Amino acid sequence: MKKVITRIGFFTLILSLFASVQPVLADGGVIGTPPEKPDPTNPSLQYSGCGGQIVPEYNPEFEQRVIDLVNQERTSRGLIPLKRSAGLTNAARYQAADMSQDNYFSHNTMDREGGELIIRCSPWERIAHYYSGANDENAAAGYYSPEAVMNGWMNSGAHRANILNPDTRAIGVGFFQGEDYLPYWIQDFGTQIDSPITPTLGLLPENLVFMYSIPDQKLYPPHKYLTPANVGSSDQLSWQVTKSGSFFSVSPENGTTPTQIRVTPDNFNHNQANTYYGSATISVTDPSSVAGSPHNVQIKLMVLNASITQVFLPGVHK
């Protein structure tokens, strides 16, 4: 099975271009050779130039599955999920179909003339026909499922960095498998989303738990932090905190994202076993009607008549 994979950042093209059609892996090494060159006079060749055409969807389920997998990787690391962009999707579909049609593997968009490949434009020029604000592109060929191509990209540091870029807001995925049955994949990323941006309060836990040991006369941990964030746009949010329960304090009681809120249990009986319950509610005051606001965090303190032992297993290395 032939598999090739490349990655491009906004300023650095890491795929080297050769006169032959043999693809080169950005991280070093030839991965595979595409099938024989197509007949340049074949009337089935329909995509030429620097994009701008709308390629019909080939397998939208595969494309959406890749987006879902990207967002699983991002949200598991506290990054915002990406919005699907129609413009980036069309740019990615064009490149995937054009590579299959003209039998090449590159971020640059190319045509065949007399059997030779001619560079028509850079990826950014191509994407600009469909979308403004592109910042990254990943490309791959020879992977026959969304899971396989995502595994390939995530195991390559440069491609993984594109997928997990914290500045990215939008994504488009193109998939095409032509007559030679070699599947081509493109991920295009951007900083602008197609629909209006909606500020959203997020990155806040549902609960915080503290423990206090009477024999140790020690609080575990001594404090914790809440970090209100706008996970829907780049706008700054103003917030305030109201609390229920007198056994802890919060500081500050108001601020703007991404200022942290320190939560400290500091007003409880240090010599009597007990469990205290309370809550801290973070509400956005500006702008109004923000999704995710207000957010309630349950606070729990367990005062224990027992020592607390902290144990770590040694690290292992195969």
Side-chain angles (χ1 to χ4, degrees), residues 69-82:
L69 292 171
V70 165
N71 284 334
Q72 286 178 24
E73 297 288 352
R74 290 178 63 87
T75 56
S76 69
R77 294 165 174 82
L79 298 170
I80 66 169
L82 302 182

Side-chain angles (χ1 to χ4, degrees), residues 64-189:
Q64 184 59 51
R65 177 60 177 158
V66 168
I67 294 174
D68 293 341
L69 292 171
V70 165
N71 284 334
Q72 286 178 24
E73 297 288 352
R74 290 178 63 87
T75 56
S76 69
R77 294 165 174 82
L79 298 170
I80 66 169
L82 302 182
K83 302 287 187 181
R84 181 180 180 274
S85 162
L88 288 174
T89 297
N90 287 328
R93 285 176 177 171
Y94 182 91
Q95 185 67 4
D98 195 62
M99 288 192 297
S100 177
Q101 167 194 273
D102 287 328
N103 192 258
Y104 69 93
F105 188 64
S106 172
H107 290 291
N108 289 329
T109 299
M110 311 177 83
D111 283 335
R112 283 194 180 275
E113 292 185 359
E116 298 298 322
L117 281 171
I118 306 297
I119 298 176
R120 292 304 183 195
C121 63
S122 72
W124 316 120
E125 292 173 297
R126 168 188 26 100
I127 297 172
H129 285 289
Y130 306 91
Y131 173 90
S132 177
N135 60 343
D136 292 303
E137 178 173 280
N138 287 343
Y143 293 85
Y144 287 82
S145 73
E147 289 75 14
V149 73
M150 274 297 295
N151 184 62
W153 279 327
M154 289 300 293
N155 281 296
S156 170
H159 304 85
R160 177 190 176 99
N162 279 351
I163 291 170
L164 301 179
N165 186 342
D167 297 324
T168 298
R169 294 292 180 269
I171 185 174
V173 175
F175 173 80
F176 194 86
Q177 187 171 341
E179 296 178 358
D180 54 34
Y181 299 107
L182 183 67
Y184 288 89
W185 305 79
I186 291 288
Q187 283 180 325
D188 281 330
F189 301 92

Side-chain angles (χ1 to χ4, degrees), residues 172-210:
V173 175
F175 173 80
F176 194 86
Q177 187 171 341
E179 296 178 358
D180 54 34
Y181 299 107
L182 183 67
Y184 288 89
W185 305 79
I186 291 288
Q187 283 180 325
D188 281 330
F189 301 92
T191 57
Q192 305 293 326
I193 61 176
D194 295 342
S195 56
I197 296 175
T198 303
T200 304
L201 178 66
L203 296 187
L204 292 169
E206 296 299 319
N207 55 73
L208 297 179
V209 178
F210 298 87

Side-chain angles (χ1 to χ4, degrees), residues 192-248:
Q192 305 293 326
I193 61 176
D194 295 342
S195 56
I197 296 175
T198 303
T200 304
L201 178 66
L203 296 187
L204 292 169
E206 296 299 319
N207 55 73
L208 297 179
V209 178
F210 298 87
M211 292 185 292
Y212 182 84
S213 168
I214 296 175
D216 299 341
Q217 293 287 289
K218 191 172 182 180
L219 182 66
Y220 301 89
H223 52 260
K224 290 188 176 183
Y225 288 97
L226 300 173
T227 308
N230 185 350
V231 298
S233 74
S234 60
D235 297 334
Q236 190 175 68
L237 304 179
S238 298
W239 50 260
Q240 66 179 16
V241 185
T242 56
K243 69 186 188 75
S244 173
S246 59
F247 66 92
F248 68 97

Side-chain angles (χ1 to χ4, degrees), residues 59 63 103 168 174 209 269 294 298 313:
N59 191 328
E63 294 170 348
N103 192 258
T168 298
V209 178
N269 190 330
Q298 297 297 314
L313 288 173

